[in-house]
Amino acid sequence: MSPTLALIFMNERRSLIGSILRIVKDPGIAEDLSQEAYLRAQRTSESQQISHVEGFLHQTARNLALDHLRRSKTRQTYEMDNGAPEALDSVPADVYSLENALIERERFREFRNALSCLPSRAQTVIVLSRIEEWPNHRIAKHLNVSERTVFNDLKLAMAHCRDALHRLERK
């Protein structure tokens, strides 16, 4: 986390909340979206240099507020204000069937087996990249290897796991 980013965010926080509040008309949502703008700026700053942090924060906050407004309008369009409760009975439940659960369990088992066959560095790379969401340069520094090596290990691991899952689907 950049101390500069945190300081800039604290200095711009009121302005960000005010800008968002004009769009969403809800102080709680404005506060939440300002925090989300900060988190997105923080994630971005881990992988690239932000040349104008204040502008980035304000643009991100504005985009988040507009996205929130669009989602709210869409939700209002499709929600039933005073619909009959019986209408909800015909909506299928958003749960996996037993068959889907078994299929996914088998896919996960095959994926885990495929991972275990990889060299330990490739296992570490795929976990850090895909699960921990680390950028390649951070993984390279952590493992004391080049970014190209991280890229190649990740490519190897992804191809190996994809092939294992394809073999399972052909059974």
Side-chain angles (χ1 to χ4, degrees), residues 18 51 68 88 98 102 114 123-124 141:
S51 59
H68 174 81
L88 294 177
L98 180 57
L102 292 172
Q123 289 179 28
T124 302
K141 186 176 179 182

Side-chain angles (χ1 to χ4, degrees), residues 70-129:
R70 275 191 290 273
R71 280 192 310 273
S72 295
K73 286 181 180 176
T74 301
R75 197 170 31 250
Q76 287 172 359
T77 301
Y78 293 102
E79 286 180 347
M80 294 184 295
D81 289 294
N82 53 3
E86 302 82 39
L88 294 177
D89 293 338
S90 65
V91 176
D94 190 20
V95 294
Y96 270 1
S97 68
L98 180 57
E99 179 183 11
N100 285 341
L102 292 172
I103 290 169
E104 288 304 316
R105 185 178 297 154
E106 181 64 25
R107 285 177 53 86
F108 182 69
R109 186 178 308 119
E110 190 64 31
F111 177 75
R112 222 176 42 223
N113 290 340
L115 274 181
S116 70
C117 295
L118 291 169
S120 64
R121 188 180 68 209
Q123 289 179 28
T124 302
V125 166
I126 196 166
V127 168
L128 292 176
S129 176

Side-chain angles (χ1 to χ4, degrees), residues 126-159:
I126 196 166
V127 168
L128 292 176
S129 176
R130 295 303 189 244
I131 296 173
E132 298 298 327
E133 298 181 345
W134 284 19
N136 285 2
H137 68 86
R138 184 175 176 193
I139 298 169
K141 186 176 179 182
H142 177 73
L143 296 176
N144 199 25
V145 296
S146 70
E147 282 189 58
R148 186 70 180 162
T149 299
V150 170
F151 176 80
N152 287 335
D153 283 350
L154 187 56
K155 189 168 77 171
L156 165 80
M158 297 287 287

